[in-house]
Amino acid sequence: FAPLYRKGISKEKNNVKLDVAVNNSIRLIKAKKEARDVEIQYCGYPQYDIAMHSGELQTVFLNLLDNSCYWLSKVNGLKKINITATAVKGKIRINVSDTGPGINPEDGEKIFLPGNTSKLHGIGMGLVIVTELLNNHECSIETVIPGDVGGATFIFDLPLV
């Protein structure tokens, strides 16, 4: 939560390697029980320098990966998360897709609102935090329904240095 209480953090000059932040996030999430049998694949290029604090960037990825692993633990079969990164109009476009149950079309917009959750013990703040962090950098996040590989797909941009 450090990036949230340090409101000016998004205005500071920061530089983090995207591949380092993604790989650190994957390593951290793989320590969770729900992630043990989940294959997480990252396809991107290490030369992308992102103009965000490393804590902000990892918070975004950890929330999305945690959500994916939670929902993947509820299904049988292939449990996979794909993360891709491509340059688009001066920003980096990130696509996080999983093979979980996906998002109900009627929940597509609601999931970004505070307190809205489908998790049994969730509080509905993870995607709110992600949205706020990205908004602080003039970036946004959206869902693709149905997802690219059958489950949930989130697409968001990150600011380049």
Side-chain angles (χ1 to χ4, degrees), residues 14-121:
N14 291 291
N15 184 341
V16 62
K17 296 278 186 207
L18 179 61
D19 67 323
V20 171
V22 172
N23 288 323
N24 284 342
S25 299
I26 291 170
R27 183 179 46 77
L28 288 168
I29 211 72
K30 288 296 276 180
K32 295 186 73 161
K33 181 178 74 168
E34 293 90 359
R36 286 189 191 139
D37 59 347
V38 175
E39 179 188 343
I40 304 174
Q41 182 177 18
Y42 170 63
C43 297
Y45 297 97
Q47 71 268 22
Y48 290 145
D49 291 327
I50 306 301
M52 288 178 78
H53 185 274
S54 61
E56 290 180 306
L57 189 53
Q58 279 191 222
T59 298
V60 169
F61 281 108
L62 286 171
N63 272 291
L64 293 172
L65 292 173
D66 186 58
N67 283 346
S68 287
C69 288
Y70 174 85
W71 290 109
L72 285 167
S73 73
K74 308 296 180 203
V75 298
N76 295 319
L78 179 66
K79 297 180 182 194
K80 187 172 183 178
I81 302 170
N82 294 327
I83 305 168
T84 59
T86 53
V88 178
K89 296 182 183 177
K91 293 189 179 191
I92 298 301
R93 171 91 18 105
I94 304 293
N95 183 310
V96 179
S97 297
D98 66 46
T99 57
I103 301 167
N104 291 327
E106 60 272 6
D107 294 334
E109 293 298 320
K110 289 191 262 182
I111 61 174
F112 296 104
L113 300 175
N116 200 322
T117 184
S118 297
K119 289 182 178 179
L120 183 59
H121 299 291

Side-chain angles (χ1 to χ4, degrees), residues 110-155:
K110 289 191 262 182
I111 61 174
F112 296 104
L113 300 175
N116 200 322
T117 184
S118 297
K119 289 182 178 179
L120 183 59
H121 299 291
I123 60 171
M125 290 304 293
L127 290 174
V128 174
I129 291 168
V130 167
T131 301
E132 287 299 314
L133 291 172
L134 293 172
N135 286 344
N136 286 341
H137 293 278
E138 299 177 7
C139 295
S140 60
I141 185 168
E142 61 186 50
T143 60
V144 175
I145 301 173
D148 292 346
V149 290
T153 294
F154 290 89
I155 296 174

